[in-house]
């Protein structure tokens, strides 16, 4: 278009026009040209690219929740995305471990931990000789409270995110990310986020880190000034509908459920005022265990759209929201609890509120939402075994004591630095000083560990590099294995098993995730708005495909270490 405009210029000398007229014609043509040029520059992308991309991650959301609770959902929340959008019904994670940090990093980088380096939420760092958190960074401090919960940054994220790619290409694009959890906000926002905000359990404020800014934006300060944790925690969490109608979940008073602080039974109603009156239980600390954790995040998201003007110009912006409360409640009560049913019935209404606001403020044609999860969850293993299903616990503290004793007997020293996330880190320095062959020691550990009850496979770093076989378990472990961050030996457990430290009554309550099995890997993926048409897609796809699809929706260069493929079906306008 710029070149066509140039060709339209009148050649004044040939036309024989007077100089003043000629000057005016040229000025008009120049202004027109500048207008075209500036509209192209500010447009950034293409006519049909969205003005706002909203990523919603529901922490620990199993695929089946979309269906198990669907007849109690509103027509305008999850169900409007399922009916009027693209519903990808066979979306899985393609690596282990399926934890929150790796999940968010993989969704937004379009690759696996083997490339982005977020191999767990916390893992053993060989250089520091201690366990680190995936987003800790002591070189930055908290903005928005007196706690140290803001000493964070994306420093450990070794590849770019889709949000980085957007900011790199279009610096005027706005990227805002938020979550109750720090990693749920920081990893989606990438390295160049304009603002990443998470919840501070001590103050009840949304905070950030000096990595991003020196002072909270006014809209976050105003939000914090409302003191929502105190307001919401002065009431009661009861079921949204009569609990007797909650026929999609198990009994409320179940032996598989943990107790919330300040509560003597795992049952409704949760009298939050009474619970927070107990010494040591604070409104700020308990809020994320209640549906109000989702409410405050939705309200903060809506505040950000308004205050930051997201989706208001032709440059695509991104808003990344990660709902952590479903995970926090899911760990405590398990996927078949009344509590988790109520969390999802209420979250559905939060999604409805957000969609309704986006329709008004941006317009359905100009936003696109994707909704997925960072992993799903295993039913409480004790509940599985009580029903005669496969499952159980592997007590790693006990196992490691035995391993260290066996190594001391054989080598004179234990030679183990740490066990974290079923990765065993060996002491390379001591092995070298003793003149031992590292591979021989690694093989000894692997052969020892495969004998532990509940262990399905054991892989060594060397096997993960050299193997070239079509083995789905090996491939998932390899995708989750990073050369500098992972251990020397990696275990995977049998289906239905969770690793625990030691056996106890408490260890057999509640549940977790992290495995390569479908209960942890099979999650929803819904697309809605913009060019997305109504469809159901049944072919298998990987979590890394989301970012690849986004690069096409936004007409961006593919993200640096991306290994996913585009979901072509949803891209056809
Ligand atoms: Zn999670
Ligand atoms: Zn209960
Ligand atoms: Zn979790």
């Amino acid at each position: 278009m710029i070149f066509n405009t140039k060709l339209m210029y009148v050649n004044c000398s040939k036309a024989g026009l007077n100089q003043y007229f000629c000057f005016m014609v040229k000025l008009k043509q120049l202004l027109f040209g500048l207008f075209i040029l500036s509209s192209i520059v500010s447009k950034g992308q293409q006519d049909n690219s969205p003005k706002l991309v909203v990523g919603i991650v529901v922490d620990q959301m199993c695929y089946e929740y979309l269906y198990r609770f669907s007849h109690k959902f509103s027509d305008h929340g999850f169900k409007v995305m399922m009916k009027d959008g693209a519903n990808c019904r066979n979306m899985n994670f393609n690596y282990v471990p399926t934890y929150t940090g790796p999940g968010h990093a993989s969704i937004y980088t379009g690759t696996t931990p083997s490339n982005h380096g977020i191999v767990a939420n916390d893992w053993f760092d060989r250089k520091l000789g201690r366990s680190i958190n995936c987003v800790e960074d002591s070189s930055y401090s908290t903005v928005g409270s007196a706690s140290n919960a803001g000493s964070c940054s994306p420093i450990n994220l070794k590849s770019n995110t889709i949000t980085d790619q957007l900011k790199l290409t279009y610096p005027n694009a706005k990227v805002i990310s938020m979550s109750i959890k720090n990693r749920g906000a920081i990893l989606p926002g990438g390295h160049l986020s304009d603002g990443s905000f998470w919840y501070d359990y001590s103050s009840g404020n949304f905070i950030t880190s000096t990595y991003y800014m020196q002072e909270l934006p006014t809209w976050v300060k105003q939000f914090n000034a409302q003191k929502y944790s105190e307001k919401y925690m002065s009431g009661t969490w009861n079921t949204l509908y009569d609990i007797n109608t909650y026929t999609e979940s198990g009994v409320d008073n179940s032996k598989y459920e943990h107790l919330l602080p300040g509560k003597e039974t795992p049952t409704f109603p949760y009298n939050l005022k009474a619970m927070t009156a107990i010494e040591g239980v604070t409104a700020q600390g308990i809020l994320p265990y209640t549906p109000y954790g989702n409410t405050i995040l939705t309200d903060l998201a809506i505040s950000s759209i308004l205050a930051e003007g997201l989706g208001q110009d032709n440059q695509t912006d991104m808003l990344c929201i990660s709902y952590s409360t479903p995970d926090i409640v899911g760990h405590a009560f398990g996927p078949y609890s009344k509590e988790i049913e109520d969390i999802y019935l209420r979250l559905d209404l939060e999604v409805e509120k957000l969609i309704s606001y986006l329709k008004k403020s941006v317009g359905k044609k100009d936003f696109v939402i994707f909704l997925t999860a960072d992993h799903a969850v295993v039913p409480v293993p004790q509940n599985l075994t009580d029903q005669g299903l496969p499952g159980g616990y592997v007590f790693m503290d006990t196992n490691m004591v035995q391993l260290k004793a066996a190594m001391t007997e054989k080598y004179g020293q234990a030679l183990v630095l740490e066990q974290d996330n079923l990765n065993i880190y060996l002491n390379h320095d001591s092995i070298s000083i003793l003149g031992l062959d590292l591979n021989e020691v690694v093989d000894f550990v692997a052969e020892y560990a495969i004998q532990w009850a509940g262990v399905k496979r054991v892989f060594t770093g060397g096997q993960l590099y050299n193997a070239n076989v079509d083995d789905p378990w090996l491939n998932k472990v390899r995708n989750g294995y990073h050369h500098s961050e992972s251990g020397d030996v990696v275990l995977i457990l049998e289906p239905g098993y969770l690793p625990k430290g030691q056996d106890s009554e408490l260890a057999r309550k509640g549940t977790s995730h992290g495995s390569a099995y479908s209960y942890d890997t099979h999650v929803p993926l819904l697309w809605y708005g913009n060019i997305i048409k109504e469809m159901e897609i049944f072919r298998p796809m990987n979590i890394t495909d989301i970012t690849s699809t986004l690069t096409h929706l936004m007409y961006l260069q593919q993200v640096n270490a991306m290994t996913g493929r585009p979901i072509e079906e949803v891209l056809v306008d």
Side-chain angles (χ1 to χ4, degrees):
M1 283 173 89
I2 301 167
F3 295 112
N4 288 343
T5 312
K6 278 183 179 166
L7 289 173
M8 280 163 57
Y9 270 82
V10 176
N11 185 324
C12 290
S13 57
K14 280 190 182 165
L17 300 169
N18 77 51
Q19 277 192 325
Y20 175 72
F21 180 69
C22 192
F23 170 73
M24 289 306 288
V25 168
K26 280 195 168 173
L27 185 65
K28 273 187 181 172
Q29 287 169 333
L30 180 68
L31 289 173
F32 181 66
L34 282 173
F35 170 72
I36 297 282
L37 186 65
S38 69
S39 68
I40 288 169
V41 169
S42 71
K43 184 77 192 158
Q45 284 127 290
Q46 295 295 308
D47 285 344
N48 64 358
S49 55
K51 293 180 178 176
L52 179 61
V53 174
V54 181
I56 303 176
V57 176
V58 182
D59 203 314
Q60 204 190 100
M61 185 170 185
C62 299
Y63 164 84
E64 66 165 38
Y65 295 162
L66 286 178
Y67 296 93
R68 178 143 65 98
F69 306 134
S70 73
H71 61 281
K72 285 197 174 67
F73 285 154
S74 137
D75 285 333
H76 309 287
F78 290 120
K79 264 168 36 183
V80 78
M81 300 180 73
M82 290 165 75
K83 279 199 279 196
D84 299 344
N87 182 354
C88 300
R89 296 185 57 180
N90 204 349
M91 165 57 76
N92 279 270
F93 282 79
N94 53 344
Y95 62 84
V96 274
T98 40
Y99 294 138
T100 300
H104 286 81
S106 302
I107 292 166
Y108 283 91
T109 60
T111 191
T112 56
S114 56
N115 294 313
H116 62 59
I118 305 296
V119 294
N121 293 332
D122 303 274
W123 66 90
F124 183 75
D125 184 297
R126 286 185 180 279
K127 293 181 289 295
L128 297 175
R130 64 168 175 88
S131 192
I132 59 163
N133 179 268
C134 58
V135 290
E136 74 170 56
D137 189 343
S138 59
S139 42
Y140 298 98
S141 53
T142 310
V143 177
S145 94
S147 80
N148 63 1
S151 274
C152 296
S153 85
I155 189 172
N156 291 313
L157 186 62
K158 296 179 196 296
S159 70
N160 289 350
T161 55
I162 180 74
T163 40
D164 284 332
Q165 190 64 44
L166 179 65
K167 289 289 294 181
L168 187 62
T169 314
Y170 301 108
N172 292 332
K174 273 199 175 163
V175 169
I176 301 287
S177 63
M178 58 185 64
S179 176
I180 296 292
K181 294 183 184 176
N182 53 11
R183 54 190 178 274
I186 291 168
L187 299 169
H191 304 83
L192 301 177
S193 142
D194 293 288
S196 296
F197 307 98
W198 56 95
Y199 183 78
D200 177 33
Y201 280 67
S202 59
S203 64
N205 285 348
F206 279 97
I207 58 169
T208 188
S209 145
T210 50
Y211 173 83
Y212 303 99
M213 56 190 70
Q214 299 304 313
E215 202 183 345
L216 285 179
T218 306
W219 60 271
V220 181
K221 283 187 190 167
Q222 286 170 345
F223 193 90
N224 289 338
Q226 298 294 316
K227 304 248 174 250
Y228 285 115
S229 56
E230 285 164 25
K231 280 182 195 165
Y232 287 127
M233 295 309 103
S234 64
T236 297
W237 171 23
N238 212 334
T239 50
L240 181 63
Y241 306 118
D242 180 352
I243 195 165
N244 296 313
T245 67
Y246 280 30
T247 50
E248 301 77 12
S249 44
V251 295
D252 191 15
N253 195 0
S254 151
K255 65 171 179 171
Y256 307 115
E257 299 180 2
H258 281 293
L259 298 176
L260 290 193
K263 190 83 165 64
E264 284 173 8
T265 57
T267 53
F268 285 100
Y270 287 87
N271 183 335
L272 302 167
K273 190 170 184 177
M275 288 161 69
T276 52
I278 290 169
E279 204 185 332
V281 185
T282 64
Q284 294 77 12
I286 207 90
L287 178 128
Y289 289 88
T290 75
Y292 305 108
N294 294 331
T295 308
I296 60 167
L297 198 70
T298 312
D299 291 343
L300 186 73
I302 288 172
S303 303
S304 78
I305 298 166
L306 180 66
E308 297 284 345
L310 301 181
Q312 298 305 310
D313 60 20
N314 285 325
Q315 174 57 61
T316 305
D317 299 321
M318 278 190 82
L319 171 62
C320 314
I321 306 167
S322 172
Y323 287 106
S324 311
T325 287
D327 179 75
I328 296 164
V329 173
H331 278 290
F333 300 100
Y336 301 125
S337 59
K338 295 276 185 256
E339 286 83 353
I340 211 73
E341 176 165 0
D342 196 62
I343 286 291
Y344 278 90
L345 298 186
R346 290 172 181 273
L347 178 60
D348 179 51
L349 300 180
E350 300 296 337
V351 171
E352 174 178 341
K353 180 166 68 177
L354 183 65
I355 291 177
S356 149
Y357 185 80
L358 285 166
K359 281 182 175 168
K360 272 189 287 174
S361 67
V362 183
K364 190 184 167 203
K365 171 177 76 64
D366 288 321
F367 68 75
V368 67
I369 303 176
F370 71 88
L371 183 147
T372 190
D374 56 340
H375 51 76
V377 76
V378 68
V380 180
Q382 189 62 49
N383 187 347
L384 293 175
T385 54
D386 287 350
Q387 296 183 63
L389 289 162
Y393 301 93
V394 173
F395 299 104
M396 286 303 290
D397 287 0
T398 317
N399 287 339
M400 290 306 292
V401 168
Q402 290 168 1
L403 172 66
K404 285 177 183 172
M407 293 184 79
T408 305
E409 195 182 318
K410 184 170 167 69
Y411 301 113
Q413 285 184 37
L415 302 176
V416 173
L417 289 172
E418 192 60 83
Q419 183 280 130
D420 233 351
N421 311 299
L422 299 172
N423 280 238
I424 299 171
Y425 294 80
L426 298 180
N427 191 331
H428 294 180
D429 291 344
S430 299
I431 290 169
S432 166
I433 290 165
L434 290 176
L436 297 167
D437 175 14
L438 176 63
N439 291 331
E440 192 272 326
V441 181
V442 164
D443 287 345
F444 175 83
V445 173
E447 281 161 29
Y448 194 90
I450 193 67
Q451 299 171 57
W452 291 332
V455 171
K456 177 183 169 64
R457 298 277 295 272
V458 178
F459 301 98
T460 66
Q463 281 173 340
L464 294 171
Y465 274 111
N466 300 326
N468 187 20
V469 291
D470 190 15
D471 175 339
W473 309 117
L474 184 145
N475 281 333
K476 285 187 180 184
V477 174
R478 184 160 53 179
N479 285 339
Y481 189 87
H482 190 277
H483 67 95
S484 68
E485 309 303 317
S486 300
D488 298 284
V489 174
V490 186
L491 281 57
I492 62 171
L493 307 184
E494 297 281 5
Y497 278 76
L498 277 179
K500 294 275 177 171
Q502 287 167 2
D503 200 1
S504 70
E505 199 187 327
L506 270 186
R508 292 167 184 265
K509 290 180 188 285
T511 190
S512 196
H513 45 83
S515 82
Y517 299 114
S518 303
Y519 49 72
D520 282 339
T521 64
H522 188 199
V523 294
L525 175 63
L526 305 173
W527 299 87
Y528 180 71
N530 190 240
I531 61 163
I532 308 295
K533 295 195 175 54
E534 169 195 337
M535 68 182 79
E536 293 205 325
I537 309 170
F538 288 87
R539 72 174 172 83
M541 50 186 79
N542 294 323
I543 200 71
T544 47
D545 296 345
I546 295 173
T547 274
S548 175
T549 309
L550 288 171
T551 62
H552 291 288
L553 273 173
M554 294 195 266
Y555 298 89
L556 293 173
Q557 184 75 15
Q558 301 199 332
V559 183
N560 57 11
M562 196 184 89
T563 50
R565 295 179 190 179
I567 304 165
E568 291 172 37
E569 296 91 328
V570 306
L571 293 166
V572 180
D573 195 353

